[in-house]
Amino acid sequence: DGSDTDIVALKNYMDAQYYGEIGIGTPPQKFTVIFDTGSSNLWVPSVKCYFSVACYVHSKYKSSLSSTYQKNGKPAEIHYGTGAISGLFSQDYVKVGDLVVKNQVFIEATREPSVTFLVGKFDGICGLGFQEISVGNVVPLWYNMISQGLVKEPVFSFWFNRNADDEEGGEIVFGGADPNHYKGNHTYVPITRKGYWQFDMGDVLIDGRSSGICSGSCAAIADSGTSLIAGPTATIAEINHAIGASGIVSQECKTVVSQYGKTILTLLLSERQPKKICSQIGLCAFDGTRGVSIGIESIVTENDGSAVGWGDSMCSACEMAVVWIQSQLKQNQTQERILSYVNELCDRLPSPMGESAVDCSRLSSMPSVSFTIGGKVFSLKAEQYILKVGDGPATQCISGFTALDVPPPRGPLWILGDVFMGAYHTVFDYGNMRVGFAQAA
Amino acid sequence: TSATDGLFRINLKRRPLDENNRIAARVTARATESSRSSIRKFGYRGTSSLT
């Protein structure tokens, strides 16, 4: 429903790099699809798609060629943040590896207007999420695999090969996990919100130090359909600062630091409730649990007499400053150093869902970024969270982190995409409603 | 794929990140941001549901 929009909007199929082959119909018509744990529908382009260029450059399903096709005909539409598809529901056999899933309802897409689907090397998407987020409440392919007794164990697992030199891209295993592709035991955490493969995650550490925002707890989703790791802007700005990634300069952020930085520090030192500080200094209202924007446009006059306006972003900037200052205080930094550091962080704020470039020659000096899951620390080295684009002297390095802000109670939320799942072999255990991570091999 | 051990393996292909898909991603991101602004402006709550 509408409340899920923020999360679906994250899906960045443009960068999703791992895809496999399935067959639909009898005889099977082949399609390349992304196996996506962040959605729950299966869709492929339809031969009845006439007005979208994307359909002309991808394989298309033709029901008349299939002896097992059954008409459904209900209209369907899925809105992703990076595009939308629409079409009709149909029903047919779906071949996944050696498995044949009978009577699977899927979407024949007749419109794919987004450039995302035009440029994508994949034809469609195979959702491996829960039925709760399935458009049209369609029974997902994975559910039918289980109910039709095709797999012994209700478990599937992902291995992404992050070695760019290898031809093999990775492997999805239905029915269990391949011991050749992980080391040691998996650490399992329970699913906390059925729909997505969502679980509770602890602190995020930068070079072993707490970044603050998840020191209580954060929600996280294991999402094979997203390339990068997405998390709260405040933490991504800290990571950007630590790895030297470029950011956008936020005037609101700098204003909060210069005008209210000392006050925030004083209030934190006097052990006021951190969540109430921004409302106490008048930048946010307080809704009982956290600061919320007061929705007032403020106008200040610059020295040259020009008027500068700012809006609700002052509240967000203040809340970030509180988290940063609090985290620095815990590290016993001096007040002067804290304010200087926080001011520097304002220069490192990431563009929402944007990419950040870093200096390739500095990889060896970049810190590890770690995620606490099930009480264990899962670290990523720079080589694991920096993506390289191009070859030789033209190589560019892109940070594997991007910003996504989901407010409480659903957030703060982290999306652990391929960058994380590449480092850690991931088991999706439907039978026990849990997700497990182990070092990938 | 092989089912001898009860595991059904599907090989995945990998697409390296390249300049073309990055440019396309930026175009899409801008379009998304613009549509989000419209949603906010008109107070529309988008849905991902059966039409």
Side-chain angles (χ1 to χ4, degrees):
Chain A
D1 60 26
S3 63
D4 289 336
T5 306
D6 278 339
I7 295 174
V8 176
L10 174 73
K11 313 244 28 109
N12 184 356
Y13 292 115
M14 190 57 58
D15 291 339
Q17 298 167 24
Y18 296 91
Y19 42 86
E21 200 172 82
I22 62 166
I24 303 184
T26 311
Q29 298 171 37
K30 285 183 181 175
F31 297 94
T32 293
V33 294
I34 289 171
F35 289 99
D36 176 23
T37 56
S39 67
S40 302
N41 290 83
L42 168 63
W43 69 263
V44 293
S46 171
V47 75
K48 295 164 207 153
C49 177
Y50 305 112
F51 301 113
S52 302
V53 185
C55 292
Y56 289 91
V57 294
H58 291 113
S59 302
K60 291 175 284 294
Y61 172 75
K62 194 172 184 182
S63 57
S64 61
L65 295 180
S66 172
S67 61
T68 42
Y69 163 75
Q70 280 182 282
K71 191 176 175 180
N72 178 307
K74 285 182 189 166
E77 188 170 322
I78 303 182
H79 288 266
Y80 298 105
T82 48
I85 62 111
S86 58
L88 300 168
F89 283 114
S90 287
Q91 188 175 307
D92 209 330
Y93 285 19
V94 177
K95 192 164 189 279
V96 187
D98 291 340
L99 303 172
V100 178
V101 179
K102 294 176 183 172
N103 306 322
Q104 176 65 44
V105 176
F106 65 99
I107 298 171
E108 277 191 62
T110 53
R111 285 197 75 234
E112 295 179 37
S114 169
V115 66
T116 306
F117 304 123
L118 173 64
V119 182
K121 286 227 172 164
F122 54 92
D123 303 312
I125 290 163
C126 178
L128 294 170
F130 293 90
Q131 191 172 0
E132 280 79 353
I133 58 164
S134 167
V135 170
N137 200 33
V138 166
V139 179
L141 182 83
W142 167 241
Y143 283 45
N144 281 331
M145 273 189 202
I146 298 168
S147 64
Q148 292 173 22
L150 302 178
V151 285
K152 246 195 271 179
E153 300 292 331
V155 172
F156 62 89
S157 60
F158 273 92
W159 168 67
F160 289 144
N161 187 358
R162 297 303 277 189
N163 186 349
D165 299 329
D166 279 0
E167 205 172 290
E168 197 176 7
E171 193 177 78
I172 176 169
V173 177
F174 291 103
D178 186 337
N180 293 320
H181 289 145
Y182 61 88
K183 292 177 195 165
N185 295 320
H186 287 82
T187 298
Y188 286 96
V189 280
I191 298 302
T192 50
R193 187 169 186 266
K194 208 175 160 202
Y196 298 95
W197 289 93
Q198 183 173 321
F199 54 93
D200 283 340
M201 188 176 79
D203 212 350
V204 176
L205 311 170
I206 303 168
D207 209 8
R209 283 190 288 270
S210 167
S211 60
I213 211 164
C214 296
S215 49
S217 173
C218 275
I221 289 171
D223 185 356
S224 61
T226 292
S227 294
L228 308 183
I229 295 175
T233 297
T235 310
I236 302 300
E238 289 185 67
I239 294 172
N240 279 356
H241 182 269
I243 65 177
S246 50
I248 50 160
V249 181
S250 161
Q251 208 50 52
E252 287 91 344
C253 180
K254 288 196 171 261
T255 307
V256 166
V257 176
S258 65
Q259 293 189 5
Y260 303 97
K262 277 189 181 166
T263 313
I264 294 172
L265 249 169
T266 310
L267 290 171
L268 281 170
L269 287 168
S270 65
E271 294 180 355
R272 296 289 175 92
Q273 283 187 52
K275 284 179 181 169
K276 287 186 178 175
I277 286 177
C278 294
S279 57
Q280 281 174 343
I281 57 180
L283 293 176
C284 302
F286 185 69
D287 73 350
T289 53
R290 65 189 181 97
V292 290
S293 152
I294 48 181
I296 294 172
E297 286 280 329
S298 304
I299 303 291
V300 294
T301 307
E302 295 276 277
N303 292 337
D304 62 2
S306 62
V308 176
W310 70 66
D312 298 342
S313 48
M314 290 290 279
C315 174
S316 315
C318 177
E319 295 219 303
M320 284 192 286
V322 168
V323 171
W324 291 334
I325 293 172
Q326 199 181 7
S327 148
Q328 289 296 297
L329 280 171
K330 280 183 189 161
Q331 292 169 34
N332 290 325
Q333 299 285 353
T334 63
Q335 294 196 18
E336 203 172 58
R337 173 74 198 111
I338 290 174
L339 292 176
S340 158
Y341 172 70
V342 170
N343 191 51
E344 284 170 28
L345 288 183
C346 292
D347 296 331
R348 303 289 184 178
L349 283 175
S351 325
M353 294 304 296
E355 64 179 36
S356 304
V358 295
D359 183 353
C360 294
S361 67
R362 286 196 50 225
L363 248 65
S364 58
S365 62
M366 290 180 194
S368 64
V369 177
S370 314
F371 298 85
T372 313
I373 300 170
K376 285 196 177 171
V377 173
F378 292 81
S379 288
L380 296 177
K381 289 182 274 189
E383 294 75 24
Q384 293 171 305
Y385 64 71
I386 298 294
L387 307 174
K388 287 190 175 176
V389 186
D391 287 315
T395 302
Q396 284 181 285
C397 288
I398 306 296
S399 166
F401 294 95
T402 190
L404 173 81
D405 288 298
V406 177
R410 294 193 57 202
L413 177 73
W414 283 84
I415 308 289
L416 305 181
D418 298 348
V419 166
F420 186 85
M421 288 175 61
Y424 294 100
H425 180 272
T426 311
V427 172
F428 296 84
D429 185 345
Y430 185 81
N432 295 303
M433 283 291 139
R434 60 183 187 166
V435 188
F437 300 99
Q439 195 184 336
Chain B
T1 62
S2 145
T4 49
D5 51 2
L7 305 179
F8 294 87
R9 296 169 169 85
I10 315 294
N11 289 326
L12 299 175
K13 296 171 206 164
R14 177 183 42 220
R15 182 192 192 191
L17 196 65
D18 63 27
E19 198 50 45
N20 285 339
N21 58 28
R22 288 175 64 211
I23 291 167
R26 278 181 223 131
V27 171
T28 310
R30 273 198 291 274
T32 305
E33 191 47 47
S34 132
S35 71
R36 277 182 182 176
S37 303
S38 314
I39 288 168
R40 277 200 295 270
K41 190 174 174 185
F42 298 108
Y44 169 74
R45 288 184 65 79
T47 58
S48 301
S49 59
L50 184 67
T51 51

